[in-house]
Amino acid sequence: MTSSRLVRALPAAIAAVLALAGGQAVAAPAPDAAARVVTYDASGAAEFKDAVTKGATVWNQSVKNVQLKPVASGQRANLRVIADNGWPRAQVTALGSGTIYFGRQAVDEGHNTVRIASHEMGHILGLPDVKPGPCSSLMSGASAGTSCTNANPNAAEKAEVEDAFALLEKSSATAAAYKD
């Protein structure tokens, strides 16, 4: 076993020894915890599949605590994207899950498809609308006008998503405690 593997395995070994000895141990969180993965299914996105992929890429390049990945075949996605003829909207069921309805009405009016995808994904990642708002705010949505093509979250929006998923990770982290 290499020294770096030994150092990483040491906390678990100590916890196991203390548990067997009747002492108290609390498992430490894993170092460099991986990002929360939110899987998405764009199979129902019709002509907007490419925009959905680009929107996911925007978020993956903007934040570290969560990553959007296409769902594997045969798996259930956290996020479904469905094209329809209405206005774009997101139905959030929990942080990191829900359904995006990619409405053609906004596209027909001239709104940028990648901005729409990024904006609606922002809702799934916990962000509210900020209307009216400037083009520099992704969550200003359509209120920034059809000339706005900015699909990137600003610093505050990135920080809000990072914080939400950091809290989610902490609250769902499993800690083992042994006490006699």
Side-chain angles (χ1 to χ4, degrees):
M1 182 179 285
T2 66
S3 62
S4 63
R5 284 187 185 159
L6 181 62
V7 169
R8 278 188 256 139
L10 192 56
I14 291 170
V17 168
L18 286 173
L20 292 172
Q24 182 176 340
V26 177
D32 301 325
R36 172 73 63 141
V37 174
V38 171
T39 57
Y40 66 91
D41 178 0
S43 64
E47 69 269 28
F48 306 119
K49 284 183 185 178
D50 187 53
V52 171
T53 300
K54 288 177 181 175
T57 299
V58 165
W59 278 107
N60 291 342
Q61 293 173 348
S62 299
V63 294
K64 294 179 182 176
N65 286 342
V66 63
Q67 292 290 286
L68 294 150
K69 305 284 182 195
V71 69
S73 179
Q75 298 293 314
R76 183 182 165 129
N78 304 106
L79 166 61
R80 291 180 342 148
V81 183
I82 301 167
D84 73 3
N85 292 325
W87 192 259
R89 62 208 177 277
Q91 180 180 17
V92 181
T93 54
L95 183 62
S97 63
T99 303
I100 291 173
Y101 296 93
F102 206 116
R104 292 180 181 95
Q105 184 178 352
V107 177
D108 292 346
E109 290 182 16
H111 292 279
N112 180 274
T113 57
V114 179
R115 179 172 167 85
I116 292 169
S118 294
H119 174 90
E120 297 305 333
M121 287 176 178
H123 289 310
I124 300 297
L125 300 178
L127 297 176
D129 282 321
V130 178
K131 295 181 181 178
C135 183
S136 60
S137 168
L138 175 63
M139 298 315 292
S140 66
S143 72
T146 56
S147 64
C148 179
T149 60
N150 173 38
N152 297 294
N154 64 28
E157 293 162 338
K158 291 176 192 178
E160 192 171 338
V161 169
E162 293 283 35
D163 290 347
F165 279 88
L167 288 173
L168 179 66
E169 196 60 39
K170 286 179 185 176
S171 70
S172 65
T174 55
Y178 305 97
K179 188 174 183 176
D180 282 349

